[in-house]
Each structure stands twice: as C-alpha cells, then as structure tokens.
C-alpha cells in the first residue's frame, strides 16, 4: 500500500482506528522513542538547556521554551521527524504558556482576583493564538495547584486558595486554550498540572515532601483537576512532590486509580521535567532503571527531559518488569493527542507567521482590562483614592515605580520588558494637565544602600500625595523562587517608614507574586493597592484605577496574612477547640490583615438579607438563595458576591466557611441587582471522605453572602 493510503494517514477514518493502525506498524524502538520528550530551546532557568542533545526523528515530543520563538528550529525538527523517520510520525511541541505568550496577562493568582472566568478564557484563547502561530502545539498550563503558603514561589501561578474558584477558572482556561467547539481540533492541547498536591510543599520550599491526609487531598487538591478532566483537558502533568511517601510521578493511586479509573481520563500524562530521574533523589528508586519502571507502571506516559524511558524501557520489557501492554497504552495516548491536534495533516507551522511581531492591539486591550480587574484595593482611608483634583504635586517613590521586567512576573519568557507600561509611564501618560509628577527610586528592590533615602524623603515632603511603589522582582516568585519570609525585600520597609514619617499621605502600590508582609508599614499608609504582577499593560491599568477612570473591583483570591508566622492561614480552615481569644498568637492574633475575598470599591454596596425559597432542601431538589445588592454610592461599580457555606456539625468536621459559588456584575450608581445561588445539595453541600466518596448529611447549613447570613436544613 502506498504510504499516503495507509489507514493511519487517512483523516476521514475514526481517530481510534488510525491510532490502532499506526501502533500496529511500530517497532518496539519506535514506540519507546515516542515516549521521550526533549528540549529544543529551553529558557526555564531551572532546567538545563538540552539543545545540544542528538535527537532522533522518531522522538515523540520537544519542549519549545525559547525566549525568542524559534519557528524555523521547530519546523526543521519537525521536517526531520516527518521526512526522515520510517512512519513519519510528527512530533508535538510543548511550551510553558502560563499567563500569556507574547502579550503578558496578569499572573494567575491575580487573574483569580477578578472573579471573571470569562476573562481567563479570553486570555488563554489569545495566548493560544499567539503561541500556535509560533509553532507551539501544547501548553503546560493551566496550573491548578492549591497553595496556602505564600512562601512557596509558585503560589503566583495558582488561582488562589479556593478549590471551588480554582475549579471554575481551570475549566475556563481549558476552554480558552483548547477552543470552544466540540468535535474540532483543539487550538492548543492544555495540561493540568501538577498532579497532585505540589502546592502543599513543606515549609513553602519548592520540590519538597508533602504530607497530605487523604481527606485533605480530596477536598482541597483534587477538585480543580477533576474539573479540568471534565472540561476535556487533553493532558496532565505529574508533580514533583513526594506525596505521603510515594512521589506523585510514580504514584499509581493518583495516576491510574484516581485519574484514569475513577475519572475516566483518556489523555496523556507527561512527567514534570526530570521527575522520573528525581525519584532516585527522593529515595523511591535505587537507580535509573527502577525509576523508569516505577513511573511508567504508575501511569506516566511521556518522560520529560531525562531520557530514562528511552534508555531503560527496552531492557525493562525483556526482564518483564514492564509489560508490552503498558508501553502500547502509553504510546496510544500520545498518538491520540497528535491525531486530535491535526498534526498528521498539518505538521508544520506556516513560516509567514514566524515574524516577531509586537502584540496585537486587541490583545493589549484585553491585557489592560484584565490587569485592571485583577488589582485589589486593600485599603482606602478617608477615600483618599481616587487621586483628588486638589493634588497638584504627585510623587512616585520606590524601586518598582520605573520597573518594567518586574511587572511581567515569572513564566513570561516571550514577553518583552520594553513593551511593558511601567507604573510611572502609565500614570504620567494619563495624568490631567497641570499636575506635576516627580519620581525617586529611594532604594533597590533588594540589597543596595540608603543613599537614595534623602532624595525620596525630600520629594515626599514637597508633594501633596506619594505613590509608593514597592514589592518584588519577577525572579522572587515562580518556580524555585520560594522565600522564607513574606517581608518586603531589601530596605523597602525602611523606606516606607521614612516616607510615611513625612506626614504626606502615602498610597502604597504593591507589585508582587504573593501577599507580602505589611504589618509594620500598613498603619502609615493611607491606601494600599495590590497590583500583583499585572503584565504588559500593568502601568496603564494602575493609572486608570488611581485616577478614578475605573472603579476597582478585584477581591483577594488568597488570604493576606499579617506576618509570615501566621502561615498557613486560609478562609477554609477548620474551627479550633476553644474560641477566641483562646489559641491565638500572643503577638499578632489569628486574623489575617486582609481576608480572602476582601477588596474595596470607590462606591459602596449594601446587601439585603438573604432570601431562601424554603427553609429545607432534600437531595433531589435545589434551593434558591437570593440577595439584592444596591450600589448606594455615586459611582458605577462592579460587585462580586461570594457565597460561602458552613456545615456546623458533620461526621467529618467541615471548614469555618467554604467558598461555594460566586458571581460578579456591574451595578450602576443607585441601582440594585439580585444575585442568585441555586444550591444543589449533591454538588454544593456534600463533602468527600478520605476515599473521595461524597457524603451528604442531614442537618443545618449556614449560608453567607457579604455581611449577611441565613440558615436552612438538609432533610434526607
Ligand atoms: C516545571 C513545570 C514546567 C516544566 C517545563 C518544570 O520545572 O515544574 O511547571 O512545565 O518545567 O518547563
């Protein structure tokens, strides 16, 4: 049969038939090569570049993480694969497209503060379009780990501490990356990572052991992955962490029993970078061969970077330590994704789209909108913001004022710092005529001396209002970027105190990849805006909020502690045996500086009491809860109603409160809007046991929305 008429090449045949046909033609060596992924330009500083590696055209996949998208390299590698291999199987090219590709959107932790999943979807769709044009077929995103320890640098990559919110954002991200239409090829293949429990890294140290009870695993860490599988994510990445003694990348219970057998996931599982070899470091495998054996038998199909499958699977099969069926199943899963993406029909990326063009106008607009909706107004004493018309002399002080790279955050390798609007540029551009804006750096982000203090203090004294721009560099969060303290780095806290001591009102703008410790400086600040790492259009969005051209609407997706020592602290903690003030820290109490869900607006919203249709709900019906929110101020605004539940007495104790539903809506000044929550007992009121079985118990449930609460009963 001529090559072109072979069944696996026939796009009209059902996908499964093509997969089976191709598999049947492959030699063992070709199969094992398909299970290998190697680097082809990798700028993840944690991962040694593998560019020099001699590759074979039968390799399954490449990582394409270059700082400059290298479409020519991608197409050249692909040409070798499809033209110089016996069966012409195309490679799949993966990259870390995390919060944008060329256009950089806010970091995911910030995105989650918008409570706007539709913006997450749009940003992922935009990133998919940009990445696809540069030859990326597969993104290693969304990251849906849950973290409650902000020392862990990767908290920046999460959607915050709520499993409910992360699940909803995860679904939106998968739809954004992969595309909306059922039955068509995904735009990019999405990858749910890191499966599972990585966000619980001990002490916030990266790559560490995680001790997670089965109960906590099911209620905190697994839900976003389950949501992503349900949304149709094509791939999953196994995590680095040792989970209760069995590293996630060799954890059969996770990868096979839960992911495939219980959830029915049919896609591909890729290891994290070198995670198979790292089983040796973790004390779970004696040597490379055992590491490969344990990973593939647990359910890792594709070996990222370390080459152990390629090196050892042949011998492991001969020794019957790995079965032919296991290899075939893994190969089938990678082939399925390739067929699904249309790679056999379109292996190359059109070179015309390979030019390094600046971001598109509509994407920049989206980035600015998203940045503005992600920022959280934490404090606004005496309504000092928006900047009043009486302010004539404005000062911008601090090392983050004229910074560009820091605004991009981690994982923005294709983002260009020179294209970023800094806070200084943003404010300068939008400031009304006649207002003077002067800047002083004061000190470096980290290290350095106090030489700039005098100039900064003098400028503050000679100004009506100070915009104090403090925080972190891009390298201070993300992978392998944990900090032992959330304190402002270097001399920044000292600078803040010196500037505040002048008596000129100070608005603090915090640029960071995590909540930072503000206990010492907060009392001296008139207003505080969490800017996060807002991406390419960050400065423009900040200016709109400060100057009142937009009304802030972001709400925290993560609890903001007073001090590092309060970690872990999160909204869905369980109640303790004695009530306050028993059990509190003597120095700082146990309340955070800002609660999960906190966020101010330039207007005020009043809540009606919660209305419930009935006082009781049974498992086969739903119960409608409603609250009317009125904008009582003089500005239009957007309010997010966060619905929390509490089960005050249960067979397995439940959290003090737990986010269960949310909705945002614009409300014009003076207008009201009704927000509804259709409570579905099985979905919203049941909870998992340590084996993931959902339990629904009769009894009282408390419901909270804004300052309001109500009670109802579950009757079985
Ligand atoms: C990270 C992953 C990432 C991979 C590829 C790893 O070190 O943990 O999140 O997708 O590298 O760059």
């Amino acid at each position: 049969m001529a090559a072109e008429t072979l069944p696996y090449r026939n796009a009209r045949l059902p996908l499964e038939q093509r997969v089976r046909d191709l598999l049947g033609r492959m030699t063992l060596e070709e199969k094992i090569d398909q299970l290998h992924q190697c680097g082809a330009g990798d700028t993840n500083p944690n991962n040694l570049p593998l560019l020099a590696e001699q590759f074979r055209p039968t390799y399954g996949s490449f990582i394409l993480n270059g700082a400059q998208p290298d479409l020519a390299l991608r197409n050249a590698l692909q040409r070798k694969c499809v033209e110089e291999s016996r069966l012409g199987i195309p490679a799949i090219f993966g990259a870390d497209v995390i919060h944008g590709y060329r256009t950089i959107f806010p970091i995911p932790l910030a995105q989650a503060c918008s409570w706007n999943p539709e913006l997450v979807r749009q940003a992922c769709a935009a990133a998919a379009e940009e990445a696809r044009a540069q030859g990326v077929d597969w993104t290693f995103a969304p990251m849906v780990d849950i973290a409650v320890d902000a020392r862990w640098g990767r908290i920046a990559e999460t959607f915050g501490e709520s499993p409910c919110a992360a699940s909803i954002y995860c679904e939106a991200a998968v739809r954004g990356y992969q595309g909306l239409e059922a039955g068509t090829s995904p735009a990019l293949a999405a990858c749910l990572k890191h499966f599972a429990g990585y966000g619980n890294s001990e002490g916030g140290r990266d790559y560490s052991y995680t001790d997670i009870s089965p109960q906590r695993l099911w209620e905190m860490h697994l839900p976003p992955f389950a949501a992503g599988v349900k949304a149709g994510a094509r791939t999953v990445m196994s995590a680095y962490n040792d989970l209760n003694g069995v590293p996630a990348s060799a954890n059969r219970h996770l990868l096979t029993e839960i992911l495939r057998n219980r959830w029915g996931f049919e896609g591909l599982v890729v290891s994290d970078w070198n995670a198979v070899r790292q089983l040796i470091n973790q004390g779970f495998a004696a040597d490379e061969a055992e590491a490969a054996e344990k990973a593939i038998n647990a359910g890792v199909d594709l070996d990222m970077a370390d080459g152990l499958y390629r090196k050892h699977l042949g011998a492991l099969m001969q020794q019957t330590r790995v079965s032919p069926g296991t290899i075939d199943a893994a190969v089938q899963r990678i082939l399925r994704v390739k067929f699904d993406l249309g790679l056999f029909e379109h292996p190359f990326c059109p070179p015309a789209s390979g030019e390094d063009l600046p971001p598109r106008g509509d994407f920049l607009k989206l980035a600015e909108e998203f940045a503005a909706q992600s920022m959280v107004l934490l404090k606004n004493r005496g309504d000092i913001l928006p900047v009043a018309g009486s302010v004539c002399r404005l000062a911008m002080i601090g090392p983050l004022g004229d910074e560009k790279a820091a605004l991009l955050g981690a994982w923005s390798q294709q983002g260009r710092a020179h294209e970023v609007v800094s806070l200084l540029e943003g404010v300068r551009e939008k400031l009304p005529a006649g207002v003077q804006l002067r800047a002083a750096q004061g000190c470096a982000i980290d290290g350095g001396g106090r030489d700039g203090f005098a100039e900064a203090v003098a400028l503050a004294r000679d100004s009506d209002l100070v915009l104090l721009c403090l925080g972190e560099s891009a390298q201070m969060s993300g992978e392998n970027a944990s900090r032992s303290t959330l304190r402002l780095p270097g001399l920044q806290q000292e600078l803040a105190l010196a500037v505040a001591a002048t008596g000129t009102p100070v608005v603090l703008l915090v640029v960071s990849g995590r909540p930072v410790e503000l206990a010492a400086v907060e009392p001296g600040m008139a207003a505080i805006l969490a800017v996060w790492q807002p991406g390419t259009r960050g400065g423009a969005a900040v200016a709109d909020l400060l100057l009142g051209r937009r009304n802030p609407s972001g709400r925290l997706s993560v609890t903001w502690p007073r001090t590092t020592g309060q970690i872990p602290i999160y909204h869905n903690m369980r109640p303790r045996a004695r009530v306050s003030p028993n059990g509190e820290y003597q120095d700082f109490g146990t309340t955070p500086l800002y609660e999960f869900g906190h966020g101010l607006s330039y207007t005020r919203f009043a809540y009606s009491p919660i209305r419930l249709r009935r006082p009781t709900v049974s498992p086969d019906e739903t119960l409608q809860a409603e609250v009317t929110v009125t904008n009582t101020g003089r500005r239009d605004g957007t309010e997010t109603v966060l619905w929390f539940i509490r089960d005050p007495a249960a067979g397995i104790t439940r959290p003090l409160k737990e986010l269960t539903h949310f909705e945002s809506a614009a409300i014009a000044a003076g207008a009201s809007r009704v927000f509804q929550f259709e409570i579905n007992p099985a979905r919203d009121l049941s909870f998992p046991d340590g084996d993931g079985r959902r339990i629904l118990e009769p009894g009282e449930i408390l419901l909270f929305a804004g300052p309001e609460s109500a009670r109802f009963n579950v009757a079985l």
Side-chain angles (χ1 to χ4, degrees):
M1 215 186 284
E4 283 319 302
T5 59
L6 293 173
Y8 78 87
R9 296 213 158 273
N10 184 347
R12 287 189 306 276
L13 291 179
L15 191 146
E16 286 308 319
Q17 191 180 333
R18 299 178 74 190
V19 170
R20 272 198 310 277
D21 176 68
L22 178 52
L23 186 75
R25 296 173 193 278
M26 293 171 77
T27 64
L28 178 61
E29 205 182 10
E30 284 165 344
K31 289 178 184 173
I32 291 174
D33 274 358
Q34 278 301 303
L35 305 183
H36 176 59
Q37 181 180 58
C38 67
D42 193 342
T43 50
N44 175 355
N46 305 290
N47 302 347
L48 296 174
L50 298 173
L51 268 173
E53 190 187 14
Q54 284 298 316
F55 81 96
R56 298 209 305 225
T58 36
Y59 283 172
S61 177
F62 296 89
I63 302 177
L64 206 63
N65 263 352
Q68 296 287 336
D70 198 341
L71 187 55
L73 170 71
R74 189 261 187 211
N75 280 342
L77 290 170
Q78 187 70 304
R79 190 163 301 285
K80 272 183 173 287
C81 294
V82 297
E83 290 176 3
E84 294 178 23
S85 67
R86 195 175 65 90
L87 295 163
I89 304 175
I92 178 170
F93 292 81
D96 289 283
V97 182
I98 307 295
H99 53 113
Y101 184 75
R102 180 58 192 274
T103 309
I104 302 298
F105 298 100
I107 51 168
L109 185 67
Q111 294 186 13
C113 296
S114 71
W115 303 97
N116 193 338
E118 174 53 17
L119 278 184
V120 171
R121 188 196 66 74
Q122 288 177 22
C124 293
E129 205 177 322
E130 288 183 342
R132 191 82 211 222
Q134 300 296 340
V136 176
D137 310 305
W138 176 20
T139 172
F140 305 130
M143 197 262 228
V144 293
D145 296 311
I146 298 286
V148 295
D149 186 337
R151 291 173 297 180
W152 190 51
R154 304 198 80 168
I155 197 170
E157 299 171 54
T158 74
F159 287 120
E161 72 192 29
S162 158
C164 161
S167 300
I168 291 168
Y169 288 126
C170 173
E171 202 230 313
V174 168
R175 288 196 302 132
Y177 286 130
Q178 294 193 164
L180 283 173
E181 287 171 49
T184 55
S185 288
L188 283 191
C191 182
L192 310 174
K193 74 183 188 186
H194 308 81
F195 194 61
Y198 182 34
N200 215 57
S201 273
E202 208 168 59
R205 294 178 288 270
D206 210 354
Y207 314 119
S208 292
Y209 176 71
T210 55
D211 199 278
I212 309 176
S213 71
Q215 178 67 34
R216 171 143 296 201
L217 190 68
W218 278 101
E219 64 186 34
M220 285 282 271
H221 298 280
L222 296 183
F225 289 94
V229 167
K230 212 165 150 203
R234 299 303 201 268
T235 77
V236 167
M237 185 185 292
S238 69
Y240 282 136
N241 54 301
D242 176 346
L243 176 63
N244 304 334
V246 181
S249 289
N251 197 310
R252 193 174 162 80
H253 178 58
L254 276 182
L255 299 173
T256 298
E257 287 160 21
I258 296 176
L259 182 65
R260 297 197 194 286
N261 299 351
R262 285 176 75 163
W263 294 350
F265 177 68
E266 288 179 346
L268 165 77
V269 174
V270 61
S271 75
D272 202 347
W273 199 92
N274 261 9
V276 179
R277 185 191 294 275
Q278 287 166 191
L279 296 173
I280 303 171
N281 300 347
Q282 289 171 308
F284 197 65
D287 52 30
E288 290 184 346
E290 194 185 4
E293 173 190 4
K294 287 193 162 175
I296 194 150
N297 285 335
V300 172
D301 303 312
L302 182 65
D303 178 10
M304 187 190 282
D306 57 33
L308 298 198
Y309 280 13
R310 193 164 46 85
K311 230 163 131 185
H312 297 285
L313 283 185
L316 286 167
M317 268 188 68
Q318 275 174 359
Q319 298 158 14
T320 67
R321 290 161 69 184
V322 173
S323 76
T326 302
I327 306 262
D328 281 1
V331 174
Q332 274 175 289
R333 293 186 194 117
I334 184 159
L335 294 179
R336 204 174 279 139
V337 175
K338 292 180 179 184
F339 279 118
D340 193 15
L341 280 165
L343 284 172
F344 282 80
E345 288 69 46
H346 307 287
F348 302 109
C349 186
S353 56
E355 293 161 40
D356 191 16
L357 298 171
R360 249 166 54 184
D362 54 338
F363 292 167
L364 289 173
K365 211 167 147 219
L366 178 64
E368 187 169 326
E369 178 69 32
F370 210 173
Q373 292 198 28
S374 304
M375 294 175 193
V376 184
L377 182 62
L378 297 171
K379 176 176 181 178
N380 194 15
R381 193 172 61 207
D383 289 330
I384 188 136
L385 287 178
V387 174
S390 55
V391 170
C392 300
R393 296 165 307 157
L394 195 56
M396 186 171 273
I397 294 175
L400 272 304
D402 203 12
E403 240 306 308
K404 288 174 180 256
L407 270 50
L408 290 172
W411 294 113
S412 49
Q413 54 253 39
Q414 286 81 16
R416 306 277 184 268
H418 70 265
E419 285 166 0
V420 172
V421 181
S422 72
L423 306 187
L424 186 63
E425 284 172 350
V427 173
R428 180 170 285 145
E429 194 187 313
K430 299 195 177 179
L431 209 56
V435 182
Q436 185 189 31
L437 175 65
R438 290 170 297 168
Q441 193 187 324
C443 64
I445 294 180
D446 203 6
R450 295 177 182 78
D451 295 354
F453 273 38
E455 183 200 359
V457 167
L459 175 59
R461 274 211 190 95
D462 191 40
S463 301
D464 304 320
L465 184 72
V466 174
L467 304 174
L468 183 60
C469 307
L470 304 181
E472 299 179 323
S473 67
Q475 293 73 28
M476 288 175 178
S477 60
E479 187 183 349
N480 202 6
S482 294
R483 299 180 58 214
S484 71
T485 169
L486 308 187
R487 244 176 280 143
L488 286 164
L491 298 171
Q492 295 186 66
Q493 178 166 311
E494 219 181 290
L495 177 70
L497 296 174
V499 169
T502 62
T504 304
V506 182
V507 173
L508 174 60
L509 308 175
V510 188
V511 174
S512 63
R514 54 163 69 77
V516 298
E517 189 175 309
L518 297 177
V521 303
E522 183 273 337
M525 300 296 130
I528 305 178
L529 181 73
V531 170
W532 307 113
Q533 287 155 333
T536 312
R537 298 292 298 168
V542 165
D544 279 346
L545 294 175
L546 294 178
L547 300 174
R549 293 159 161 232
R550 293 187 65 116
N551 194 347
S553 59
R555 304 277 212 100
L556 290 177
S557 60
V558 66
T559 302
W560 192 295
R562 289 176 197 279
T563 70
T564 309
Q566 287 184 321
I567 293 171
I569 185 167
Y570 47 101
H571 80 281
N572 40 354
M573 292 171 94
R574 284 181 157 76
R576 57 177 181 265
R578 291 195 187 178
V579 295
S580 287
N582 290 290
E584 305 219 340
Y585 295 116
Q586 294 187 344
D587 45 3
F588 276 104
T590 45
T591 56
L593 185 58
Y594 301 112
E595 287 191 355
F596 172 86
H598 172 75
L600 305 172
S601 163
Y602 294 152
T603 186
R604 302 280 185 272
F605 296 103
Y607 280 61
S608 74
I610 296 172
R611 297 181 293 276
L612 287 163
R613 282 282 154 84
R614 294 182 306 279
T616 301
V617 63
S618 59
D620 51 358
E621 49 186 24
T622 60
L623 174 62
Q624 192 160 300
E626 268 185 15
V627 70
T628 304
V629 179
T630 304
N631 180 344
T632 57
R634 281 199 299 270
R635 277 173 180 270
D636 297 349
T638 294
E639 176 66 341
T640 299
V641 175
L642 300 172
W643 295 89
F644 296 92
I645 60 153
R646 175 167 182 199
D647 184 342
I652 297 170
T653 58
R654 303 302 306 145
L656 276 168
K657 60 178 190 171
E658 212 177 348
L659 181 74
T660 312
H661 180 67
F662 64 87
E663 190 189 354
S664 300
I667 309 178
S672 296
R673 186 181 190 278
V674 177
F675 290 79
Q676 292 173 335
F677 175 18
E678 185 87 20
I679 302 166
N680 173 330
R683 184 191 60 198
D684 303 318
L685 308 177
S686 71
F687 52 85
D689 68 6
D691 194 33
R693 276 183 300 257
R694 308 286 308 182
I695 302 171
L696 182 63
E697 291 183 344
E700 190 183 46
I701 298 286
L702 310 183
L703 180 66
F704 307 91
E708 297 298 320
S709 63
R711 291 162 195 272
F712 61 91
N713 272 287
V714 178
L716 295 188

